[in-house]
Amino acid sequence: MSRQVIDLKTVWQTALGDLEVALSKPNFITWFKDTTILTIEDEIVHIGVPNSFVLTWLSNKFHKDIFVVLQKILRETPIRALQFEIVRSATPTATKTKLGRLPIDLTSQASLVDQTPSVDRSDATRMTTSLNTNYIFENFIVGTHNRLAHAASLAVAANPGSHHNPLVIYGGVGLGKTHLLHAVGNQILADHPKKRILYASCEQFATEYVHAIQTRSMDHFKKRYRDADVLLIDDIQFLSGKEGTQEEFFHTFNSLHQNGRQIVLTSDRTPQAIPELENRLSSRIIWGMVTDIKSPDVETRAAILTQKCRDRGQQLDQDVIELLAKTFQSNIRELEGALNQVLAYCELEASVPTLSVVEDIIKNQYTETRLSVTSDQILKLISGYYQIGHQDLLGKRRNKEFVYPRQIAMYLLRYELSFSYPQIGREFQKDHTTVMHGVDKIEKELRKNPRLQHDMSHLKDRLYHHAAG
Ligand code: ADP
Ligand code: MG
């Protein structure tokens, strides 16, 4: 099926059909209403969206889902990236996709597939390289918190394979690691369009590896990863405990490294701190350059907000920017989420919101997500994160491995759900002074223990990400 024959509208309808199954209904309608495929050019799928709000959500949250679905549908037509673009609704029905017609008729999907000449199945995996073209150096703000990581990434992008190999960027959730990783890939691709850039999340690497074993296509898997000129693997902490995947990663790493190919990795902690990671692997990973990203200071947060507004052709008053920058401190993703709310409001109301309106929006957004979180979710999260049973978390045993997570759970109930001390006491069958003591201890510890700060930001991210999704 040549590219000209592809009916973009049908492709998108099919994709929407698949996505609708995977997402909850309200989520789906909110984010995919009035979206469309504009063109596919140079292996980049240009997706039209109605406003900046949707643009950010789709590119941040659903980028991978959309990519995977489109790739599956387009099969033989290689795609390497998605580009989201705002389409002002001047041309209504022509480009708009009617959600009313969903879910799409399965027969149209089947016929689309039928037209495709049989392809080597392995081709499907060849295309999983997905660079997000919205993550580039030009819109990445540099501050003291990320200066080194940024400089190292630039150096790698300018001379792949010769400096800092591998480059490892580590840091907490939502601080810009993935953005930098894509920026390196996008830059190299812009300078050397022929270079094979392979981006994959660590989970994707692991899944593909298992799939390769099951389908006896290891040769193909090996070739795919070892042929890359630049290998970008996101979130390598997920290698933890996966022995087979680690082994394969080790060999891939060595093969690429010996051949002078560039490797860039990200992680939420230093490689040495990843549990159940083989020594020979962690020691090899730190051969090149290891650099961290910290939380940005308030000025940098304001600069990031200004940049995000500019990216979307929007403007906000300085005092509004400052309010947002002061309110959202530790996580840039959260900061951006708040900005999105405000920008969406601007667009809906066709106005520039005042400080007090923004205060309201922030308050509502915050309480809304918070309200949707339950104590059960917190308890589940903690037992999963610290790998202890529900019984032990709520039980009486005083071993440190139970007491600590218990206190963290109490802290979260207190500060995220505003539970009273006696209320928390009832959950754990403890009296309220024990609860107060526990919450207090975590509060103090949070001030001086970076490890706990890191865990906490992780936990909150999971909690709200889960609640919002
Ligand atoms: P991580 O991978 O560290 O969890 P991401 O790279 O996904 O974080 O960043 C979260 C969001 O914050 C992204 O939308 C990203 O564009 C934005 N962001 C992070 N750091 C910066 C920065 N320095 N300048 C501009 N945007 C940033
Ligand atoms: Mg990331």
Side-chain angles (χ1 to χ4, degrees), residues 324-391:
L324 290 170
K326 276 194 194 121
T327 313
F328 299 91
Q329 302 191 350
S330 58
N331 177 331
I332 301 171
R333 194 174 298 146
E334 208 173 83
L335 183 73
E336 211 179 333
L339 173 71
N340 286 336
Q341 294 276 338
V342 173
L343 290 180
Y345 178 91
C346 290
E347 288 197 354
L348 288 174
E349 298 289 311
S351 71
V352 180
T354 61
L355 203 55
S356 72
V357 172
V358 174
E359 270 164 2
D360 272 358
I361 297 174
I362 292 176
K363 211 158 63 200
N364 285 340
Q365 184 207 356
Y366 238 41
T367 28
E368 231 170 70
T369 6
R370 259 158 222 235
L371 282 178
S372 66
V373 170
T374 63
S375 58
D376 262 1
Q377 276 170 334
I378 291 186
L379 297 176
K380 246 194 220 131
L381 177 73
I382 297 285
S383 39
Y385 194 81
Y386 291 99
Q387 312 235 313
I388 59 173
H390 202 68
Q391 302 287 357

Side-chain angles (χ1 to χ4, degrees), residues 173-216:
V173 176
L175 295 182
K177 301 181 299 291
T178 297
H179 189 136
L180 266 184
L181 195 60
H182 283 272
V184 169
N186 282 316
Q187 185 64 47
I188 298 176
L189 199 62
D191 296 340
H192 314 273
K194 293 243 161 66
K195 280 215 194 288
R196 281 159 307 200
I197 321 265
L198 189 51
Y199 167 90
S201 66
C202 185
E203 282 162 309
Q204 195 179 333
F205 181 88
T207 312
E208 281 178 30
Y209 170 68
V210 172
H211 181 76
I213 297 175
Q214 284 165 351
T215 56
R216 303 212 176 99

Side-chain angles (χ1 to χ4, degrees), residues 173-420:
V173 176
L175 295 182
K177 301 181 299 291
T178 297
H179 189 136
L180 266 184
L181 195 60
H182 283 272
V184 169
N186 282 316
Q187 185 64 47
I188 298 176
L189 199 62
D191 296 340
H192 314 273
K194 293 243 161 66
K195 280 215 194 288
R196 281 159 307 200
I197 321 265
L198 189 51
Y199 167 90
S201 66
C202 185
E203 282 162 309
Q204 195 179 333
F205 181 88
T207 312
E208 281 178 30
Y209 170 68
V210 172
H211 181 76
I213 297 175
Q214 284 165 351
T215 56
R216 303 212 176 99
S217 52
M218 265 323 275
D219 286 349
H220 172 71
F221 175 88
K222 288 199 165 114
K223 185 163 161 32
R224 169 172 144 77
Y225 277 93
R226 292 174 200 188
D227 272 358
D229 294 308
V230 179
L231 179 65
L232 312 167
I233 303 280
D234 213 351
D235 291 317
I236 57 160
Q237 71 273 11
F238 287 115
L239 284 173
S240 172
K242 300 192 177 81
E243 282 171 27
T245 308
Q246 282 181 28
E247 166 98 24
E248 182 55 33
F249 186 78
F250 181 76
H251 295 303
T252 306
F253 184 102
N254 288 341
S255 159
L256 290 172
H257 200 270
Q258 274 157 18
N259 291 313
R261 314 283 174 80
Q262 180 68 47
I263 303 164
V264 188
L265 310 170
T266 72
S267 168
D268 72 349
R269 62 200 87 179
T270 63
Q272 297 98 318
I274 300 175
E276 295 179 65
L277 186 67
E278 267 192 78
N279 268 338
R280 62 169 186 172
L281 186 52
S282 60
S283 58
R284 193 141 308 192
I285 285 173
I286 56 174
W287 263 356
M289 163 120 175
V290 180
T291 167
D292 70 337
I293 302 190
K294 302 192 179 65
S295 292
D297 56 27
V298 67
E299 292 86 357
T300 311
R301 295 200 297 276
I304 290 173
L305 286 171
T306 309
Q307 174 62 46
K308 296 283 168 194
C309 288
R310 203 177 301 138
D311 282 353
R312 277 157 234 171
Q314 306 259 12
Q315 220 184 346
L316 285 181
D317 281 350
Q318 197 52 35
D319 50 356
V320 168
I321 297 263
E322 274 165 25
L323 172 65
L324 290 170
K326 276 194 194 121
T327 313
F328 299 91
Q329 302 191 350
S330 58
N331 177 331
I332 301 171
R333 194 174 298 146
E334 208 173 83
L335 183 73
E336 211 179 333
L339 173 71
N340 286 336
Q341 294 276 338
V342 173
L343 290 180
Y345 178 91
C346 290
E347 288 197 354
L348 288 174
E349 298 289 311
S351 71
V352 180
T354 61
L355 203 55
S356 72
V357 172
V358 174
E359 270 164 2
D360 272 358
I361 297 174
I362 292 176
K363 211 158 63 200
N364 285 340
Q365 184 207 356
Y366 238 41
T367 28
E368 231 170 70
T369 6
R370 259 158 222 235
L371 282 178
S372 66
V373 170
T374 63
S375 58
D376 262 1
Q377 276 170 334
I378 291 186
L379 297 176
K380 246 194 220 131
L381 177 73
I382 297 285
S383 39
Y385 194 81
Y386 291 99
Q387 312 235 313
I388 59 173
H390 202 68
Q391 302 287 357
D392 288 323
L393 181 60
L394 293 178
K396 301 248 173 257
R397 290 164 71 188
R398 306 268 324 136
N399 319 27
K400 189 167 189 300
E401 74 252 44
F402 303 140
V403 173
Y404 194 55
R406 213 176 275 156
Q407 290 172 332
I408 293 175
M410 292 176 178
Y411 175 90
L412 285 172
L413 288 172
R414 174 81 191 125
Y415 288 108
E416 299 307 308
L417 297 195
S418 308
F419 271 33
S420 68

